[in-house]
Each structure stands twice: as C-alpha cells, then as structure tokens.
Amino acid sequence: MSVPAAIRWERGGLWLLDQRKLPEEVVYEEQTSASMVAASIAGMKVRGAPAIGIAAAYGMALASRTGEDMARAARLLVAARPTAVNLAWAVNRVLRANDAVAEAEAIHREDAEMCRAIGEHGMELIEPETAVLTHCNAGALAVSSLGTATAPLYLAHEAGIRFRVFVDETRPLLQGARLTAWELVQSGIDVTLICDSMVSHLMSEGTIQSVIVGADRVTANGDVVNKIGTLGIAIASRYHGIPFHVALPSSTFDPDTKTGTDVEIEQRDASEVTGSIRAPRGVHVSNPAFDVTPAELVTSWITDRGLIENARDLAVLK
Ligand code: MRU
C-alpha cells in the first residue's frame, strides 16, 4: 500500500498531512508548537483516535524541545478533543517519560506494530468471495501503517484473497468517501462507495457478509465508542445475522471507564452538517460526532493481542 503518512517526524520537526484537503490535495503543514498541534487536532487536520494520540505525543516532544511548560502543553493537547482515549493516554505517557522525543517515537513505532498484529489476527475473518463493510476511516490516515479496521483487509489482499469492501460515506465529514475509499482504491482493493442510508438495504439483499469498524474508545465492559453511525450498523448487522467486528489497538482500550455511556461524546459545529447541503436558514442542528455500540452487539474485538469474543477477556489489553 502507498498511502502518504498522516504524521511525519523528521529531523526533530513535525509535519501533519492536512486531511481536510484530501483526496484532492496532499499537503503537509509543519507544526512548531504544542498549541499549534492542539489546534490541528481540534480542527481535524489530523484525525482518528490513534493518530491524534501520536500527533499529541509529538506535540509534547516539540514542547520539550522548545522549553514550553510541559504541564500546560499537556492540558492544551488533552482538551483538543474529548472522546478518543488515545489522546490523553499518549500525552500522559510522554509526560511521565524522561525523554519526551524518544517516548513519542516509541508510541508511533508501537502503533505500527499493533496495526500489523491486528491485521494478522483479523485476516482470518476475511472469507474469499465475500463483501466486508467498513465505516468512517480507521485506515492508515487515522492510525499509522496499516490502520486498524483496514489492517485485516490489506493483509488479506496481500495474501491474494479475493473479496470486496463496501465503504459508507460517513456524513457529515465524509471520512469514508474522502479517506477510506481513497486509501483502498490506491491499494488496489475492490472498493464500492455507498451512502450511509444504503447499509441496511444491502444487508437485507445479502450483499454484505461482515462488518469491521475501528474504535475511538472501548470501555471496560466492551462498549464501543466510535464514529456516529456505528450503532445503527451494529443493530442492522444483528438483525440480519451478520458478524460485527471492532478492530482496536491496546491504546484504545480504557479499563478505567466502566461503560460507553460514561464517555463524553463530542458535539461538533453545526456548519459541518449544513455546509454541504441545502438546509434552510434557522434550522436547529445537532452534530454528535460519535455514538456508543453496546458490547452485546459485538461479535469480536480484533486486537493486537488476538481475537477476543468475550468482553471480559479485554482485560488482557491493560
Ligand atoms: O472524528 P474523527 O474523524 O477523528 O473520527 C475518528 C475515527 O477516525 C473513527 O471513529 C474511526 O472509526 C476510529 S479511529 C481509528
């Protein structure tokens, strides 16, 4: 696969791929301070749970280089987005380390290793001549290297297994259409783009055989906090008897939060919803960016430590 890296740390400098401009333009922007990184995370230049963790870790590394107040840098970065647990996890890890740069590099390297392990464990779920649905972008752009939900797809494709992938657009920011479809087309995987509203219909006519999504946080009881729309797909999967898998690295597991309903769901700006459609002036808009899928709807959690089918066994990720 040849997707440009979302995050580049080169000669002590941090460069973020501006994902708002994809797929039309591949533009990197140099980040010069922790506060600039925090603004890039809040503004969705870099996005996806593991990727914002890695970017924030490098934000802390920049802060240590330039002599910024580390505690203040940490507060700014953690406050950039509330839902994905990777952000606070990575920042706190760097804060506790003796060498901020080395710790950020280790977080980045380990993330790539976890993606490969997720792919190796998850590729057995990709049956030949079937179609897999994925939602939002849990690919290389949201993570590193092979991505999480996409890692089994990339490795199965490399192994010569023939299968199709359906990607839904993922309104309002269209991460599925702009990012996941872009990644998969470049890798040569057979990919079909659909509107979010088409999922149940395609399941009902037998077009989709399995689902793999990523996660922004998985709580102690196995609930999955992920991009808005995930819950509807999980419910439709259960109704149609289709396995619903969730790919996550250990860094996305939050054993300190009991259930998904304890997690703050980010509300984003109304303009994300109204911006690209012909909405009437004055209409009220609600824009929750994530939802909570109860653990009981999950067939398996595909982790770097193996396939987990019982939420109790997620404790191995601690
Ligand atoms: O709001 P975003 O684009 O940062 O959304 C996060 C995600 O990329 C998805 O929820 C994804 O499925 C999980 S992150 C690998």
Side-chain angles (χ1 to χ4, degrees):
M1 50 165 295
S2 55
V3 178
I7 300 165
R8 286 182 3 211
W9 175 255
E10 287 165 5
R11 296 181 297 282
L14 177 63
W15 298 80
L16 296 179
L17 175 61
D18 187 346
Q19 299 194 27
R20 299 168 317 169
K21 297 194 160 84
L22 294 173
E24 288 85 8
E25 289 177 74
V26 176
V27 177
Y28 283 88
E29 183 186 76
E30 184 169 14
Q31 309 290 298
T32 50
S33 65
S35 55
M36 188 175 179
V37 176
S40 296
I41 292 170
M44 306 283 284
K45 287 181 184 170
V46 59
R47 40 139 311 278
I52 60 177
I54 297 165
Y58 283 128
M60 293 291 287
L62 285 179
S64 79
R65 284 252 165 110
T66 54
E68 282 178 71
D69 177 339
M70 293 294 276
R72 181 176 172 275
R75 276 196 304 277
L76 273 176
L77 287 160
V78 170
R81 292 191 73 189
T83 304
V85 72
N86 306 62
L87 187 53
W89 170 84
V91 167
N92 288 328
R93 211 175 124 172
V94 178
L95 205 50
R96 286 194 304 267
N98 292 328
D99 182 338
V101 173
E103 195 66 13
E105 287 173 334
I107 288 171
H108 198 175
R109 189 175 55 248
E110 289 165 22
D111 190 78
E113 289 162 4
M114 287 192 286
C115 290
R116 179 152 290 274
I118 288 168
E120 283 163 359
H121 296 300
M123 66 184 282
E124 71 178 66
L125 301 171
I126 314 295
E127 301 280 351
E129 310 300 337
T130 62
V132 184
L133 172 75
T134 192
H135 177 62
C136 190
N137 174 255
L141 293 165
V143 195
S144 65
S145 76
L146 301 170
T148 55
T150 51
L153 308 177
Y154 285 128
L155 293 193
H157 179 66
E158 250 173 54
I161 298 169
R162 282 164 53 94
F163 61 96
R164 299 173 72 192
V165 178
F166 282 77
V167 174
D168 64 14
E169 289 178 312
T170 318
R171 281 273 296 149
L173 290 183
L174 303 173
Q175 290 95 329
R178 295 189 302 105
L179 307 177
T180 307
W182 185 68
E183 279 190 26
L184 296 180
V185 162
Q186 289 182 73
S187 71
I189 289 178
D190 180 342
V191 55
T192 301
L193 179 64
I194 57 173
C195 299
D196 300 347
S197 51
M198 297 170 186
V199 168
S200 289
H201 170 71
L202 291 176
M203 287 180 172
S204 74
E205 62 177 24
T207 305
I208 290 166
Q209 280 73 41
S210 66
V211 177
I212 305 180
V213 299
D216 294 85
R217 189 187 300 227
V218 172
T219 53
N221 70 337
D223 286 354
V224 175
V225 185
N226 192 47
K227 179 55 57 190
I228 192 77
T230 305
L231 173 60
I233 295 172
I235 293 169
S237 301
R238 176 58 56 92
Y239 181 80
H240 293 105
I242 292 169
F244 177 86
H245 307 286
V246 177
L248 73 146
S250 301
S251 54
T252 297
F253 180 55
D254 178 8
D256 299 327
T257 301
K258 275 195 194 152
T259 74
T261 49
D262 300 321
V263 176
E264 182 185 349
I265 300 292
E266 179 180 11
Q267 271 285 341
R268 293 193 59 88
D269 200 82
S271 62
E272 291 182 353
V273 176
T274 56
S276 56
I277 58 167
R278 297 165 66 201
R281 271 170 195 267
V283 69
H284 296 296
V285 173
S286 174
N287 187 13
F290 303 95
D291 59 25
V292 179
T293 298
E296 65 180 281
L297 295 179
V298 179
T299 309
S300 80
W301 294 263
I302 312 170
T303 78
D304 49 289
R305 306 287 296 275
L307 288 185
I308 293 178
E309 290 179 354
N310 186 325
R312 273 197 306 272
D313 298 332
L314 287 165
V316 72
L317 303 178
K318 275 183 199 170

